[in-house]
Amino acid sequence: MKLFTKKVLETALNEEMTEHLGHEKNRAEAGRDSSNVRNGQRSKTVVTDAVGEVEIEVPRDRESTFEPQIVKKRQRRLTDVGEVVLSLYAKGMTTGEISAHFSEIHGTSVSKETISRITDTVVAEMQEWVGCALDSVYAAVFIDAIAVKVRDGQVANRPVYAAIGVTVDGRKDVLGMWMRGTGGEGAKFWMSVLVDLKNRGVTDVFFLVCDGLYRTPYPQYVPARRAAAPGLSQA
């Protein structure tokens, strides 16, 4: 989550700088009115409610006239950024919903074109992550759903399904996040989540840790030896 938060904030900051200067990085236009250009970066640590401290790189301009909006100067604490990041990286979010998130954060401080560029960059990073290959075997996989606020015309709570894997050498990884429409957790949707993990290379899980939802509709998937993940070995 710290990595996701860092990527989202830095993407927005860099696109804000592009709008401020009027040209993209390394593409300064000849004959422009201002001689102002990018002038490196400075490190800054922000504190979020969801993941604690996150170190980000804030772009600087030569004339020091850049006023970032997503992380303002001297701002250290960011509220509600955790829910935004969770929803942005959940498979199933539409481009319009992602754009609405950034529009809400920035208000009228940046143009629609900048919001579009931020959205396109985040969507590209998100798609690369949600499709990455996974380990074939995990010692444990934890699955659960949490409710996050999503704005698309109006604010509504929507469930994000998350799978956290523990590798055989003890490392914890976020395997994926999936979003569906309003409503509670459902066995059929969990099946689609597990099939997605299987399609990305997972062949076996020693322990599947969940709230027991799968036991009622899928009792045949719970052998005495261990709780195997439906949609993986038994699919």
Side-chain angles (χ1 to χ4, degrees), residues 66-206:
F66 177 51
E67 295 285 344
Q69 296 300 312
I70 194 167
V71 183
K72 295 180 173 61
K73 288 183 177 179
R74 293 177 292 281
Q75 182 182 8
R76 294 294 179 182
R77 179 168 289 278
L78 303 177
T79 58
D80 299 330
V81 68
E83 286 192 335
V84 172
V85 172
L86 269 175
S87 60
L88 292 181
Y89 276 84
K91 186 175 182 180
M93 279 283 285
T94 67
T95 301
E97 289 168 336
I98 294 174
S99 180
H101 269 299
F102 287 113
S103 295
E104 180 182 15
I105 293 171
H106 288 89
T108 59
S109 61
V110 300
S111 68
K112 291 182 179 179
E113 290 75 15
T114 295
I115 296 298
S116 179
R117 289 198 304 269
I118 295 172
T119 301
D120 290 345
T121 303
V122 170
V123 167
E125 293 175 347
M126 176 190 71
Q127 290 176 340
E128 181 180 356
W129 177 74
V130 299
C132 68
L134 301 175
D135 290 357
S136 60
V137 178
Y138 285 91
V141 171
F142 296 80
I143 59 174
D144 204 354
I146 59 174
V148 300
K149 295 184 184 301
V150 175
R151 177 179 292 276
D152 185 17
Q154 61 182 0
V155 177
N157 286 329
R158 288 175 58 180
V160 170
Y161 293 67
I164 311 296
V166 180
T167 65
V168 292
D169 58 357
R171 186 184 70 254
K172 286 196 295 184
D173 285 338
V174 180
L175 305 185
M177 293 183 287
W178 301 259
M179 183 169 286
R180 60 172 295 181
T182 57
E185 299 180 55
K188 289 184 178 179
F189 192 84
W190 273 124
M191 175 65 84
S192 70
V193 167
L194 295 171
V195 169
D196 188 21
L197 295 181
K198 177 178 181 292
N199 291 338
R200 290 166 59 196
V202 180
T203 59
D204 205 359
V205 174
F206 296 161

Side-chain angles (χ1 to χ4, degrees), residues 26-102:
N26 300 325
R27 289 189 180 181
E29 295 180 2
R32 64 180 183 273
D33 295 333
S34 174
S35 60
N36 198 13
V37 294
R38 283 174 169 79
N39 187 32
Q41 299 173 323
R42 63 181 179 86
S43 297
K44 179 175 182 176
T45 300
V46 295
V47 180
T48 70
D49 294 336
V51 296
E53 293 186 349
V54 179
E55 185 172 325
I56 60 175
E57 299 298 322
V58 181
R60 300 185 302 182
D61 61 328
R62 181 179 293 171
E63 297 177 0
S64 299
T65 55
F66 177 51
E67 295 285 344
Q69 296 300 312
I70 194 167
V71 183
K72 295 180 173 61
K73 288 183 177 179
R74 293 177 292 281
Q75 182 182 8
R76 294 294 179 182
R77 179 168 289 278
L78 303 177
T79 58
D80 299 330
V81 68
E83 286 192 335
V84 172
V85 172
L86 269 175
S87 60
L88 292 181
Y89 276 84
K91 186 175 182 180
M93 279 283 285
T94 67
T95 301
E97 289 168 336
I98 294 174
S99 180
H101 269 299
F102 287 113

